[in-house]
């Protein structure tokens, strides 16, 4: 199989703090990982694409200084929401693509609530 | 630019009756199309994908979809609904422009299955 995990599965934080979310490909190497955001009862919106060892590519309208992405290894990407505010509360989902394969495998998501 | 439109936000069927979830796509070239399912508190799961091979694609759990270029449609069907099919379904098109293989999600269709 191709399993992707996310940690934590849910997090509650105070406004102004930073939160880090991890995305791991457990049984395969992922050259490329993707971060999505899903508001309640809405679709997934791609935030950024990260390639191992290089800077992430952000979608239009996504603040790269607010959503820091690091893809330091072939099995781990992290998303840090800096100075979080209540409007950042959302469901964050990552996916990982196997090297030499176009299929994306999705993590279970992380629910972030900013008070 | 690639896009998908899911024509129904909610579909409700009785257990044992057919399921039809509608999707139309817009693409400037031959697209890759997918259907994903999202159960509550679980990761997205790929049901099936079309990548320019056979136009009738069979997926997991008895689902299938037919690619119709003349109608720019990729509707998802299942002959007989099970209670366990109740979930959110996303029609997805792959955008290969810009050097990255990005997934563009439709708005989603929530399927309810009644006894």
């Amino acid at each position: 199989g191709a399993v992707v995990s996310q940690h934590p599965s849910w997090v509650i934080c105070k406004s102004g703090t930073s939160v880090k979310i991890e995305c791991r490909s457990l049984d395969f190497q992922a050259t490329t990982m993707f971060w999505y955001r899903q508001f309640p009862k809405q679709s997934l919106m791609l935030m950024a694409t990260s390639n191992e060892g290089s800077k992430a590519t952000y979608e239009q309208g996504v603040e790269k200084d607010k959503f820091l992405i690091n893809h330091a290894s072939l099995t781990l990407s992290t998303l840090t929401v800096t100075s979080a505010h209540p409007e950042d509360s959302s469901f964050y989902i990552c996916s990982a693509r196997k090297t030499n394969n176009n299929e994306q495998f999705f993590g279970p998501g992380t629910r972030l609530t900013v008070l | 630019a690639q896009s998908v439109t899911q024509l129904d936000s909610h579909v409700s069927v009785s257990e044992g009756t057919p399921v039809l979830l509608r999707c139309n796509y817009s693409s400037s070239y031959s697209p890759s199309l997918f259907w994903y399912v999202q159960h509550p508190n679980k990761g997205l799961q790929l049901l099936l994908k079309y990548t320019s091979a056979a136009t009738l694609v069979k997926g997991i759990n008895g689902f299938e979809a037919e690619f119709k270029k003349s109608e720019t449609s990729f509707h998802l069907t299942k002959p007989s609904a099970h209670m366990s099919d109740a979930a959110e379904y996303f029609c997805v098109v792959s955008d290969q422009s810009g050097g990255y293989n990005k997934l563009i999600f439709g708005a989603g269709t929530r399927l309810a299955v009644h006894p």
Side-chain angles (χ1 to χ4, degrees):
Chain A
V3 181
V4 176
S5 70
Q6 285 184 238
H7 178 79
S9 56
W10 59 270
V11 57
I12 301 173
C13 70
K14 293 182 178 180
S15 185
T17 61
S18 295
V19 174
K20 179 184 285 189
I21 302 170
E22 293 186 348
C23 176
R24 292 181 185 272
S25 56
L26 299 184
D27 51 2
F28 67 98
Q29 292 185 329
T31 306
T32 305
M33 289 185 171
F34 303 84
W35 286 96
Y36 297 83
R37 185 173 181 176
Q38 185 180 28
F39 288 105
K41 299 183 179 180
Q42 294 188 28
S43 188
L44 280 74
M45 299 297 294
L46 180 65
M47 298 174 66
T49 302
S50 74
N51 288 295
E52 184 263 339
S54 63
K55 290 184 178 180
T57 300
Y58 290 81
E59 295 300 300
Q60 192 172 9
V62 178
E63 300 175 62
K64 61 181 180 181
D65 294 330
K66 182 170 186 60
F67 298 100
L68 301 179
I69 292 172
N70 185 287
H71 191 163
S73 77
L74 286 172
T75 59
L76 173 64
S77 176
T78 60
L79 168 68
T80 301
V81 183
T82 62
S83 187
H85 288 94
E87 57 266 29
D88 299 324
S89 299
S90 189
F91 196 50
Y92 292 88
I93 301 173
C94 76
S95 70
R97 188 169 70 200
K98 287 183 178 180
T99 304
N100 301 322
N101 185 310
N102 277 334
E103 185 173 351
Q104 292 185 29
F105 300 92
F106 287 82
T110 297
R111 186 163 301 283
L112 170 63
T113 300
V114 184
L115 302 177
Chain B
Q2 277 58 249
S3 66
V4 288
T5 301
Q6 292 184 242
L7 301 173
D8 308 291
S9 58
H10 291 83
V11 170
S12 181
V13 301
S14 298
E15 189 175 22
T17 64
V19 175
L20 169 64
L21 305 183
R22 299 182 296 167
C23 173
N24 286 107
Y25 70 90
S26 173
S27 177
S28 54
Y29 48 80
S30 184
S32 293
L33 292 160
F34 310 79
W35 276 98
Y36 282 86
V37 60
Q38 185 180 35
H39 287 95
N41 301 317
K42 290 189 178 181
L44 285 155
Q45 182 180 23
L46 178 66
L47 283 177
L48 48 82
K49 62 181 176 181
Y50 166 77
T51 55
S52 75
T55 56
L56 182 61
V57 183
K58 294 187 182 297
I60 62 172
N61 301 336
F63 285 95
E64 62 181 39
E66 186 172 6
F67 174 75
K68 291 187 177 180
K69 186 175 181 179
S70 61
E71 299 177 8
T72 61
S73 69
F74 190 58
H75 302 334
L76 181 70
T77 61
K78 183 173 180 177
S80 176
H82 293 171
M83 296 296 290
S84 60
D85 293 329
E88 188 84 20
Y89 291 80
F90 292 99
C91 181
V92 180
V93 65
S94 175
D95 182 351
Q96 300 177 34
S97 62
Y100 291 100
N101 190 11
K102 301 190 299 186
L103 297 183
I104 309 298
F105 282 74
T109 298
R110 183 164 295 276
L111 175 65
V113 182
H114 300 290

